PDB file of all heavy atoms in Angstrom:
ATOM      1  N   LYS T 513      62.196  48.304  21.585  1.00  0.00           N
ATOM      2  CA  LYS T 513      61.250  47.102  21.194  1.00  0.00           C
ATOM      3  C   LYS T 513      60.401  47.556  19.989  1.00  0.00           C
ATOM      4  O   LYS T 513      60.211  46.684  19.124  1.00  0.00           O
ATOM      5  CB  LYS T 513      60.171  46.924  22.475  1.00  0.00           C
ATOM      6  CG  LYS T 513      59.240  45.848  22.063  1.00  0.00           C
ATOM      7  CD  LYS T 513      58.183  45.502  23.178  1.00  0.00           C
ATOM      8  CE  LYS T 513      57.238  44.362  22.725  1.00  0.00           C
ATOM      9  NZ  LYS T 513      56.523  44.592  21.493  1.00  0.00           N
ATOM     10  N   SER T 514      59.957  48.743  19.952  1.00  0.00           N
ATOM     11  CA  SER T 514      59.246  49.080  18.771  1.00  0.00           C
ATOM     12  C   SER T 514      60.058  49.004  17.431  1.00  0.00           C
ATOM     13  O   SER T 514      59.490  48.862  16.357  1.00  0.00           O
ATOM     14  CB  SER T 514      58.454  50.463  18.917  1.00  0.00           C
ATOM     15  OG  SER T 514      59.343  51.496  19.356  1.00  0.00           O
ATOM     16  N   LEU T 515      61.370  49.392  17.662  1.00  0.00           N
ATOM     17  CA  LEU T 515      62.205  49.333  16.431  1.00  0.00           C
ATOM     18  C   LEU T 515      62.476  47.870  15.941  1.00  0.00           C
ATOM     19  O   LEU T 515      62.469  47.507  14.773  1.00  0.00           O
ATOM     20  CB  LEU T 515      63.488  50.062  16.689  1.00  0.00           C
ATOM     21  CG  LEU T 515      63.450  51.569  16.797  1.00  0.00           C
ATOM     22  CD1 LEU T 515      64.795  52.176  17.245  1.00  0.00           C
ATOM     23  CD2 LEU T 515      63.030  52.169  15.410  1.00  0.00           C
ATOM     24  N   LYS T 516      62.494  47.082  17.031  1.00  0.00           N
ATOM     25  CA  LYS T 516      62.772  45.628  16.765  1.00  0.00           C
ATOM     26  C   LYS T 516      61.563  45.103  15.978  1.00  0.00           C
ATOM     27  O   LYS T 516      61.614  44.240  15.078  1.00  0.00           O
ATOM     28  CB  LYS T 516      63.002  44.940  18.165  1.00  0.00           C
ATOM     29  CG  LYS T 516      63.970  43.741  17.952  1.00  0.00           C
ATOM     30  CD  LYS T 516      64.393  43.313  19.449  1.00  0.00           C
ATOM     31  CE  LYS T 516      64.705  41.998  19.568  1.00  0.00           C
ATOM     32  NZ  LYS T 516      64.784  41.579  20.969  1.00  0.00           N
ATOM     33  N   ASP T 517      60.286  45.398  16.565  1.00  0.00           N
ATOM     34  CA  ASP T 517      59.104  44.966  15.968  1.00  0.00           C
ATOM     35  C   ASP T 517      58.946  45.470  14.601  1.00  0.00           C
ATOM     36  O   ASP T 517      58.574  44.683  13.556  1.00  0.00           O
ATOM     37  CB  ASP T 517      57.932  45.510  16.667  1.00  0.00           C
ATOM     38  CG  ASP T 517      57.727  44.895  18.035  1.00  0.00           C
ATOM     39  OD1 ASP T 517      58.535  43.934  18.369  1.00  0.00           O
ATOM     40  OD2 ASP T 517      56.979  45.488  18.927  1.00  0.00           O
ATOM     41  N   LEU T 518      59.417  46.695  14.325  1.00  0.00           N
ATOM     42  CA  LEU T 518      59.333  47.239  12.748  1.00  0.00           C
ATOM     43  C   LEU T 518      60.313  46.495  12.015  1.00  0.00           C
ATOM     44  O   LEU T 518      59.900  46.050  10.780  1.00  0.00           O
ATOM     45  CB  LEU T 518      59.792  48.697  12.953  1.00  0.00           C
ATOM     46  CG  LEU T 518      59.890  49.423  11.554  1.00  0.00           C
ATOM     47  CD1 LEU T 518      58.443  49.601  10.936  1.00  0.00           C
ATOM     48  CD2 LEU T 518      60.514  50.816  11.647  1.00  0.00           C
ATOM     49  N   LYS T 519      61.439  46.089  12.599  1.00  0.00           N
ATOM     50  CA  LYS T 519      62.395  45.401  11.594  1.00  0.00           C
ATOM     51  C   LYS T 519      61.899  43.962  11.335  1.00  0.00           C
ATOM     52  O   LYS T 519      61.826  43.498  10.160  1.00  0.00           O
ATOM     53  CB  LYS T 519      63.703  45.182  12.466  1.00  0.00           C
ATOM     54  CG  LYS T 519      64.831  44.580  11.512  1.00  0.00           C
ATOM     55  CD  LYS T 519      66.160  44.789  12.322  1.00  0.00           C
ATOM     56  CE  LYS T 519      67.240  44.358  11.556  1.00  0.00           C
ATOM     57  NZ  LYS T 519      68.672  44.684  11.921  1.00  0.00           N
ATOM     58  N   MET T 520      61.205  43.353  12.209  1.00  0.00           N
ATOM     59  CA  MET T 520      60.579  41.978  12.048  1.00  0.00           C
ATOM     60  C   MET T 520      59.501  42.200  10.925  1.00  0.00           C
ATOM     61  O   MET T 520      59.490  41.344  10.030  1.00  0.00           O
ATOM     62  CB  MET T 520      59.970  41.557  13.340  1.00  0.00           C
ATOM     63  CG  MET T 520      59.666  40.049  13.308  1.00  0.00           C
ATOM     64  SD  MET T 520      61.006  39.067  12.933  1.00  0.00           S
ATOM     65  CE  MET T 520      61.683  38.694  14.453  1.00  0.00           C
ATOM     66  N   CYS T 521      58.738  43.185  11.044  1.00  0.00           N
ATOM     67  CA  CYS T 521      57.620  43.480  10.083  1.00  0.00           C
ATOM     68  C   CYS T 521      58.186  43.719   8.793  1.00  0.00           C
ATOM     69  O   CYS T 521      57.611  43.027   7.720  1.00  0.00           O
ATOM     70  CB  CYS T 521      56.909  44.679  10.584  1.00  0.00           C
ATOM     71  SG  CYS T 521      56.035  45.595   9.305  1.00  0.00           S
ATOM     72  N   CYS T 522      59.238  44.472   8.582  1.00  0.00           N
ATOM     73  CA  CYS T 522      59.831  44.818   7.286  1.00  0.00           C
ATOM     74  C   CYS T 522      60.419  43.410   6.732  1.00  0.00           C
ATOM     75  O   CYS T 522      60.135  43.194   5.470  1.00  0.00           O
ATOM     76  CB  CYS T 522      61.160  45.673   7.372  1.00  0.00           C
ATOM     77  SG  CYS T 522      60.647  47.350   7.747  1.00  0.00           S
ATOM     78  N   LYS T 523      60.955  42.612   7.511  1.00  0.00           N
ATOM     79  CA  LYS T 523      61.512  41.366   7.025  1.00  0.00           C
ATOM     80  C   LYS T 523      60.359  40.390   6.484  1.00  0.00           C
ATOM     81  O   LYS T 523      60.544  39.652   5.553  1.00  0.00           O
ATOM     82  CB  LYS T 523      62.244  40.671   8.178  1.00  0.00           C
ATOM     83  CG  LYS T 523      63.652  41.209   8.228  1.00  0.00           C
ATOM     84  CD  LYS T 523      64.590  40.353   9.148  1.00  0.00           C
ATOM     85  CE  LYS T 523      66.020  40.934   9.208  1.00  0.00           C
ATOM     86  NZ  LYS T 523      66.690  40.513  10.447  1.00  0.00           N
ATOM     87  N   LYS T 524      59.304  40.498   7.319  1.00  0.00           N
ATOM     88  CA  LYS T 524      58.069  39.587   6.860  1.00  0.00           C
ATOM     89  C   LYS T 524      57.361  40.205   5.640  1.00  0.00           C
ATOM     90  O   LYS T 524      56.588  39.413   5.015  1.00  0.00           O
ATOM     91  CB  LYS T 524      57.198  39.390   8.070  1.00  0.00           C
ATOM     92  CG  LYS T 524      57.685  38.310   9.056  1.00  0.00           C
ATOM     93  CD  LYS T 524      56.563  37.871   9.917  1.00  0.00           C
ATOM     94  CE  LYS T 524      56.099  38.890  11.069  1.00  0.00           C
ATOM     95  NZ  LYS T 524      55.279  38.389  12.072  1.00  0.00           N
ATOM     96  N   GLY T 525      57.589  41.445   5.384  1.00  0.00           N
ATOM     97  CA  GLY T 525      56.918  41.999   4.285  1.00  0.00           C
ATOM     98  C   GLY T 525      55.504  42.599   4.654  1.00  0.00           C
ATOM     99  O   GLY T 525      54.572  42.812   3.718  1.00  0.00           O
ATOM    100  N   ASP T 526      55.280  42.740   5.937  1.00  0.00           N
ATOM    101  CA  ASP T 526      53.939  43.240   6.437  1.00  0.00           C
ATOM    102  C   ASP T 526      53.903  44.742   6.236  1.00  0.00           C
ATOM    103  O   ASP T 526      54.909  45.350   5.946  1.00  0.00           O
ATOM    104  CB  ASP T 526      53.650  42.855   7.874  1.00  0.00           C
ATOM    105  CG  ASP T 526      53.457  41.347   7.992  1.00  0.00           C
ATOM    106  OD1 ASP T 526      53.346  40.605   7.035  1.00  0.00           O
ATOM    107  OD2 ASP T 526      53.649  40.867   9.223  1.00  0.00           O
ATOM    108  N   PHE T 531      53.357  49.763  12.882  1.00  0.00           N
ATOM    109  CA  PHE T 531      54.671  49.700  13.624  1.00  0.00           C
ATOM    110  C   PHE T 531      55.396  51.031  13.693  1.00  0.00           C
ATOM    111  O   PHE T 531      55.959  51.427  14.674  1.00  0.00           O
ATOM    112  CB  PHE T 531      55.445  48.614  13.067  1.00  0.00           C
ATOM    113  CG  PHE T 531      54.956  47.244  13.054  1.00  0.00           C
ATOM    114  CD1 PHE T 531      54.185  46.769  11.994  1.00  0.00           C
ATOM    115  CD2 PHE T 531      55.044  46.399  14.214  1.00  0.00           C
ATOM    116  CE1 PHE T 531      53.544  45.528  12.036  1.00  0.00           C
ATOM    117  CE2 PHE T 531      54.533  45.230  14.250  1.00  0.00           C
ATOM    118  CZ  PHE T 531      53.761  44.824  13.345  1.00  0.00           C
ATOM    119  N   VAL T 548      66.365  51.266  10.193  1.00  0.00           N
ATOM    120  CA  VAL T 548      65.694  49.973   9.969  1.00  0.00           C
ATOM    121  C   VAL T 548      65.373  49.713   8.499  1.00  0.00           C
ATOM    122  O   VAL T 548      65.868  48.489   7.944  1.00  0.00           O
ATOM    123  CB  VAL T 548      64.451  49.849  10.814  1.00  0.00           C
ATOM    124  CG1 VAL T 548      63.733  48.614  10.461  1.00  0.00           C
ATOM    125  CG2 VAL T 548      64.717  50.006  12.335  1.00  0.00           C
ATOM    126  N   VAL T 552      67.219  46.732   6.296  1.00  0.00           N
ATOM    127  CA  VAL T 552      66.606  45.497   5.697  1.00  0.00           C
ATOM    128  C   VAL T 552      66.560  45.593   4.174  1.00  0.00           C
ATOM    129  O   VAL T 552      66.662  44.664   3.434  1.00  0.00           O
ATOM    130  CB  VAL T 552      65.143  45.419   6.242  1.00  0.00           C
ATOM    131  CG1 VAL T 552      64.324  44.197   5.678  1.00  0.00           C
ATOM    132  CG2 VAL T 552      65.019  45.382   7.790  1.00  0.00           C
ATOM    133  N   TYR T 553      66.184  46.785   3.629  1.00  0.00           N
ATOM    134  CA  TYR T 553      66.000  46.979   2.133  1.00  0.00           C
ATOM    135  C   TYR T 553      67.337  47.310   1.322  1.00  0.00           C
ATOM    136  O   TYR T 553      67.224  47.330   0.127  1.00  0.00           O
ATOM    137  CB  TYR T 553      64.929  47.892   1.910  1.00  0.00           C
ATOM    138  CG  TYR T 553      63.646  47.606   2.452  1.00  0.00           C
ATOM    139  CD1 TYR T 553      62.993  48.522   3.305  1.00  0.00           C
ATOM    140  CD2 TYR T 553      62.916  46.406   2.236  1.00  0.00           C
ATOM    141  CE1 TYR T 553      61.646  48.292   3.890  1.00  0.00           C
ATOM    142  CE2 TYR T 553      61.761  46.029   2.822  1.00  0.00           C
ATOM    143  CZ  TYR T 553      61.149  46.935   3.662  1.00  0.00           C
ATOM    144  OH  TYR T 553      59.968  46.617   4.068  1.00  0.00           O
TER     145      TYR T 553
END
Side-chain angles (χ1 to χ4, degrees):
Chain T
K513 182 178 181 304
S514 55
L515 290 173
K516 220 165 141 190
D517 292 346
L518 176 68
K519 189 165 188 175
M520 194 55 94
C521 151
C522 288
K523 281 188 175 160
K524 279 200 288 193
D526 292 345
F531 296 91
V548 171
V552 179
Y553 298 128

